[in-house]
Each structure stands twice: as structure tokens, then as C-alpha cells.
Amino acid sequence: MRVIIIGAGEVGSSIAAGLADNHEVVVVDVDGERVDALTYSLDVLAIEGDGTSLSTLREAGIEQTDMLIASTDDDETNLVACGTAKTVDDPFTIARVKNVDYLETWEHAENAFGVDFMVCSNLLTAEDIVRVIGLPAARDVDPFAGGKVQMAEFEVDEGSPVAGQTVQEADRFESLTFAALLRENDVEIPSGETKIRAGDKVVVIGSPESVQGFAREVAPGATPTGNEDLVIIGGSEIGFHTARLLEDRGLHPRLIEQDHDRARELAEKLPDTVVMENDATDADFLAREHIDEADAVVATLESDEKNLLVSVLAKQLGAKRSVAVVESGEYVGIFETVGVDVAVNPREVTAEEITRFTRETHTENVALIESDRAEVLEIEVDRESALVGRPIREAVADLPTGLVVGAITRDREFVVPRGDTIIEPGDHVVVFVDMDILDDVSGKL
Amino acid sequence: MNGHLRVDWRASVSLVGTVVKWLAAAMLFPLVVALYYGEGITTFVAAIALSITVGWTLEQLDDDPDLGAREGFLMVALTWLAVSIVGGAPYVIAGEGSVAVPVNALFESMSGFTTTGATVMQNIGFEEHSRALMMWRQQTQWLGGMGIVVLAVAILPELSVGGAQLMDAEAPGPGIQKLTPRIAETARALWVAYLGITALEIVLLYGLHLLGNALGTPLAPNMTLYQSVAHGFTTMSTGGFSPAARSIEAFSAAVQWLIIPFMVAAGTNFALFWHVLNGESEHLFRDSEFKSYVGIIGVLAAVATALLVTGVGMARVPTIGPIAGNLEASARHATFQLASIITTTGYASMDFTTWSIPAKYLLFAAMFIGGSAGSTGGAIKIVRWYVILKSFKRELFTTVHPEAVRPVRLGGRALDERALRGIYAFTLLYIVIFFVATLVLFLNSTRNPDPVFPLSTLEAMSAVAATLGNVGPGFGVVGPMGNYLKFTASSKLFMVFLMWIGRLEILPVLVLLTPAYWRS
């Protein structure tokens, strides 16, 4: 298909690189130098111009375009570009925003701003951080249904409490589904009697809380239990959402913010978080607050340099793990070299999310298991779907084996799928599908 | 990777091999011609075998070539050299006449691929040479016209990622215009436009011949199907080779008039044709380069017409009879000759060595103008002159108003100062190389025992301007009815080098000669 990407910065360029092989890509940017650079580095058509102006979009061939991705650094520009595109034609529009308010507005009315899919980089980054510190044992974690559902893959090792248990024994969580066990080369859809062996990889789908709970079962040593000391330094949007998501998982982080008003605001919004008002680069304060005993320190300040300083300081004092947000992609390697355990780059996270999304057509969201053995899809089902209008047990029985309904969200609320649950049109269903039957099944869902 | 070299030359050479291998496919056409006329096919069968062997051997150097920016330059420069060498093989294998000597074969082949049209063939025609070989000579120009590398990008998927860079190194004029998201599609679009206009010219030329036969009046008696195809190949590529010894003088006035617009089209930016084909013909009339180009041809042709018709422009009576006083003939030859030289085609509708010094000088100056960027023409290119003139105007203005900020505009778009610097640098380099090369050729020609040497100033300058600018014929001994055969082998090789750097616009080749290129 033909894709127009507005913005040739880090995000736009890396999306373009991801799509150029299989699609016709046109990139629009106001900066002539970036346009030149892209012309020679990727097989795309790069145009100099303002993506919010109709004449530029026409020059880029908006009438023949199937998809428009607005990925500039400016939220409003992105929203206006999508809106402008919708005035001439109906391409599928994707907008990158930082501000979570826009995301909430859009989730409230799915055609708001003329945007068909919105990616909020602050929220995505926070989710990424939470995954890193909240589920260190997971090999892979992907959020679905706006974060209401999570898919996670764990490797069961020798010492794990669940090794040797049956699925029924291990599954003590209300809203968790065992989607699959991966052994050597086959994908097994487990029943209640299936025994989990050491070396298996387990794929579970469920609410974030239940996934967190299961992680404690699988790898008690490596998973925060709620008594862990997690410290977030910097009350930026990313810091706030990180704290909020950790609260959702039943954890109690501490958050350090220098600005008085902002600290107050955060304290009001985060009931389970201890908010402290101080300069985080103050080593005495950090020592006094026993940062040396922290299990993880997350630096989410507004500048890369400060994040680096704080992370190194915390590590030096004796914190176990440090995670830092890095705005410029080229520093990721440097950060990890000097001792930051994980550097998270919001731009990279956003670009990956958009690229992954565009690779799929009708599905809302997708995650690949073991790169190509199975897929987890999120689908908004309509009346035509084979899953709708009868109990899940019957619906699945009519489809080839290798499909598991992992979770359902109805009106943005989590619904636990049971054998007798009836799926309604408009529900978002997260399903696990074995790659062997994917082509066969994807048309029927 | 070699430890000392920072350039992955294996990748470049391997891709050159791929292109050389595909050259065999191009040689199928003369093979068909040979079969059609019942000539021997051994020459081209052997040449095809040779291209495949050489190409395949070079390909083995790197089974998964990955081109960076530096490797791209090397690949483009070497492609032209390798294709010229392998494409010259048929002349040697055929063993017919002067071009069978390897140095001459290389000269003829490089002159072909670079669309120069300078020849070392002593007896042009079918008495000495087979029709297949003469067609191959025409076809080399057609392949080189839109660009061998552009053609390679159009058909070889492995060149798609670095394609923009490769096309940039090969395409005439500063920078390339991508027309479509995929570079391979852009390359295909250019080639399709090129192929289409070539086909149109062939049809019209042959149509004229058939029409004359049908009406019983000889409109184009000599323009047989073979000649139509042959001239279609070398008009659209601004090449200038002709299977007829007297070039276009051998054909009727109607043919000469018909070829003029096609030469003008060949010197036009092909991206404009693509826009016209897409129904956006306003691009043509908005494009400042195109307007200046047509204007320059018009003005210089008018000046030359005036010189010829008054007799000022003629020094001797040519073999075709007097031109002075005959307005139609003066206008025809003046327009044809100016269009031919400005577009760097190099056809001759008459022997212009019979022109007087002022008229010859006009042609000589025209050798530096060149076609449009993105055309098949050579030399400096209209767009560069246009920009240079505009920046001269700016200099004059800022002398009076030192505080003025005045960007140089090209078609409504302000050019950035770096692009401007690149244009200055290229133009100055071109002129410096021209003077140095003239001196070298001069000195070399004094050692030549042949009675036509040493060359006159204008002859030596024209030989350099004609090879460096990919024009073809010069004046005197290298005039349109003469040839480059009498030069020493070293002079010929030197001119092969000039044609090569002229076609690739100097920098992609010269950069290879700098130590910095090979180091980190």
C-alpha cells in the first residue's frame, strides 16, 4: 500500500525504514536537509513541506494513499495533519502524541481529530519501563486493549514453583488464561491436566494484575512482590504514568520531584505512591532516603544528561537496577555502557509500536510469539465473526485447534472469558493463534 | 573487508559484474540483426559468451554485495569502464577495419556508451562492416543515453536501496528528482519515456520513407527501416553515431527537419516528459531550465541562420552546393547544427568545417552549454549556466546594496548556498580540466608524425571540448566527416578518459583518485 509519513525525525525515519521494503512510502518534512538525507538512505520519496497543508499532502499523493502516519515531535501538528488528510480522502490515519489527554479524548470517541489509531509515546514509554522493572522474568510482554489486557511469555526454569504442576494448579488467578505452552518445536494448547515442565515457555493472557501475580508464582525471586523498593526520579508525564501503572499492579513506588506544585499535584493523583519533593541530584538526600537499598531506580527527568547522572549516582550508592529514559536514540548504547541497566528511548518505543501496527491490516494490535511460531491478536469483532453470539466453547470447537480466546474487553472493561461466555459484537477479543492456522482463521474472526 | 582499505571494493566490483552479465542480453539485438540480414553470428555469440563469463567471474567476488555511499561511486565509475571494455569486444572479434585494433575498439565503445559520437572508424558503412556491428555501434549509444546504471536500477532489485545514490552519481545535472516512492519505479518511468520517444521517432522516420514511396515523391529515400532504427537510437541518446558516412547529410531535407525536434526532446529533462505523460503538462512551461534551453537554441540558431544566409558564416562552398542566399537551407543547417551541438548529439547535416571562423566559434562556444539536467545530453548543462547567471546578477546587486539578502531562485524555489557552491565548483573544474586537457593533447600531437599534425588551436580545443562534453565531432581533422583515427594511442586513451569523466560529470570519477576516498 501507499503510506505517507509526516515528520522525518527519529520516529518517522525508523517507521519509514520498517515499511520501505513492502510498501510505497512518501515522507514529508519541513526540514530540507532531513529530506535529502532520507532520499539517499532509504528507498522512499521524500518531500519538503508542511504536512498540515493540503497542497503538500496533495503533492505527496494523498488521494492514492491508504495510510497516513503523523509522527512529528509536535502533538498538535500530528492531529491537524490527520484531520487535514481526512478532509480530502479517507486514508487510515495514525497519530503520535505525547499528551495523554489527547489519547483519553480519542478513546472517548474513536474518530476524534480524524485519527484512526493513536499512539501515546509517554504512556507507551511508561508501559515499557513497568514491563522492565515489574516483570523482569518475562521474556516478552505486550499490552492490549489500551493496557487493560496483557500478554506475557515466561520461561519456566528448574527452580520455579510451577515446574511440575498442572495448569489447573498453577492457574490460581481469576482473570488469567493459559494460552499456550511452547515446547521445543511445537505449540501446545494446554488443558487443565497438562503438566508444566521445566524448560517450557508459557504464554498467558490476562489483566495486568493477574499477570503480575502469575509472574511471582513462576519466578518469585525476580519479581517485585509489593514490598520492593521502587524509586522513580522525576515527575514528568512519563514518571507519573510509570507510577500509576505500578500502582495498578499493586506495587508502591516512591517518586521524587523537585517542583513544589508538581509534587503536590502528583501526590493528589497517586494515592499509593510516596511523593517526595527534592532535587534528585542531591547525593545526601539520596543516601538519607536509602536509595542504596532500592531494587530499581527509574530516571524520568526532563533531560538525558540529568537522567544519566541520577542513574549513575543511584547505582554508585548501591541500587540494584537502574532504568533511564533517553530522548536521543544515539545515546542508548552509551547509557548502557556506563552502567545504566536499561535505557528506554520513547522514540524507538513509539516507532516500533506504529510499525508493528501498520504491518497488520484489520487487527487492532498484534504480538508475535517467538518471532513466528504464533501470534496474539486483538480484534474488534463484528456480527460476521465466527466467535460472536454463542458460548466460546462452541465457537472454538468449530474452528481448527490452535486458537485460544485469552481475554475480552467490553466498553473498556475486562471480561473474564469462560467456556460459557458469549461474545457480543463490538467486543475487543484478544486471541492466541498458532501460526499454522493463522491464514485459515484470520478471515473468520 | 580489507584491513587497509576503507572501501568495500569487492561489493562494487561484484555489482559491476552483474551489470556486465546483463550486457549480454543487450547483445541479443545485434544477433537478431545478423540473423535477419543473413550475416555471420559468431561475433556476437562470442561477445555474449564473453560478457556472461566476465560478468559472472566478477560477481563471485562478493555474493551479497552491500553498497555504501563510497562503494556507489566506485560501482558507477567502474560500470562505465567495464561496460565500455566488454562492449568494445565485438569490434575486436569481428576484425573489420580500423576499429579491430583494441585501443580503437575501446575508444569507439567508450564514445558509444558515453553518447559522445567521436569515431575512429575509417570507412563507415556496410562495405567494410557488417550491419549487425554497425547496429551494435548505434545501440551502445542508446544504452548509455538514459544511463546504464539507471537501467540496472530499473531491472535489478538488489540495487533498489542504494539506487538513489547510484543514479545521482550517473544522472546528468545536479541532484536527481525522485518521481515515485520507489527508486526502481522512477528509473523504469524514465526508461519507459525514453523508449517511447525513441519508438515514436523510428516510426515517424520510417513513416516518412514509406509515405514518400506511396506518393511517388522521394521524401526520405535513404531512410530505410534499418536507418530509422539506427538514427532513433542515436538521436534520443544525444549520441550522434550514424551508419552513414556523411552523417545526416546523406538524408533528405525532410528528415533533417524531423530530427531537429527529437534532438531538442533528447536534451530535455526526462522527468518533464513523465509529468506530461501524467497529464501535468504545465510542468513543461513552468520549468525555467526548459524555457531557457529552448530560448538558447532559438536565439543561437537565429544568429547562425543570419550568418549563413548572408554568406558571412561560410568560408568554402560545401559539397552540397552553396548555402548563402538560400533561406530555407541556411535556417535548416543552422538550426540543425546548433541543436545538434547544444544537445551534444553531434550529428551533422552538412560539413560545418566549411563554415567561417565566426560561425565555427559559435558552434565551439555551444559545445560548453550542454542539455538539460536529467536529459541524455552532456557538457555543463543549462541549469548550471542559468544558476550561475542568476548569481552573477545577485553579485552585482549586492555590490550596490551590501546588506541585501537575496537567495538565488530556480523556478520559484530558493537554492541553498551549498548547492550553489557545488554548481560553481563543477563549472570551474570543467573549464580547468578543459584547458589542461587541451595542453596535454597539444603536446602529445606534436610528437605525431602524421602530416595533419600538429593541430591548430581551434582543432585541439574542439577535440577536447567534443570528447569532454560528449559532443563528438570537432573541427578540422576531427570534423563531422573526419575521425579521431590519426591520434596516437596515448592521445586516444586520454580522450577515452575525458569521455568517461565527462559522462559522469567528473566528480564521481575524480573522487576515486583522491587518497581520502580510500582511507577512512
Side-chain angles (χ1 to χ4, degrees), chain B residues 75 169 358:
Chain B
M75 184 232 157

Side-chain angles (χ1 to χ4, degrees), chain A residues 2 19-26 33 39-46 48, chain B residues 160-162 164-165 168 175-176 178-185 413 416 418:
Chain A
R2 194 180 170 103
L19 298 181
D21 285 348
N22 304 317
H23 304 289
E24 294 199 338
V25 180
V26 182
E33 286 192 11
T39 299
Y40 294 115
S41 61
L42 294 175
D43 192 12
V44 300
L45 175 60
E48 191 180 335
Chain B
S160 62
V161 173
Q165 201 126 27
D168 203 17
I176 53 157
K178 257 187 160 182
L179 305 169
T180 56
R182 296 215 176 275
I183 194 75
E185 256 176 61
R413 278 189 56 213
D416 102 17
R418 265 189 322 180

Side-chain angles (χ1 to χ4, degrees), chain A residues 34 60 94 100 143 157 161 245 249 269 278 300 328 339 392 395 405:
Chain A
R34 280 189 188 164
I94 299 178
V100 182
D157 52 27
L245 293 170
R249 291 163 177 266
K269 285 186 183 167
N278 202 313
T300 55
S328 31
I392 290 177
V405 176

Side-chain angles (χ1 to χ4, degrees), chain A residues 281-331:
Chain A
T281 54
D282 173 353
D284 287 347
F285 161 76
L286 293 179
R288 205 166 54 240
E289 282 300 332
H290 293 294
I291 295 295
D292 52 312
E293 288 167 21
D295 295 279
V297 174
V298 183
T300 55
L301 291 154
E302 298 287 357
S303 90
D304 287 359
E305 293 80 357
K306 278 193 170 168
N307 283 342
L308 180 65
L309 181 65
V310 165
S311 306
V312 174
L313 208 57
K315 285 289 279 191
Q316 203 191 8
L317 287 169
K320 279 207 197 74
R321 305 181 75 208
S322 68
V323 178
V325 171
V326 194
E327 283 290 344
S328 31
E330 65 259 39
Y331 293 165

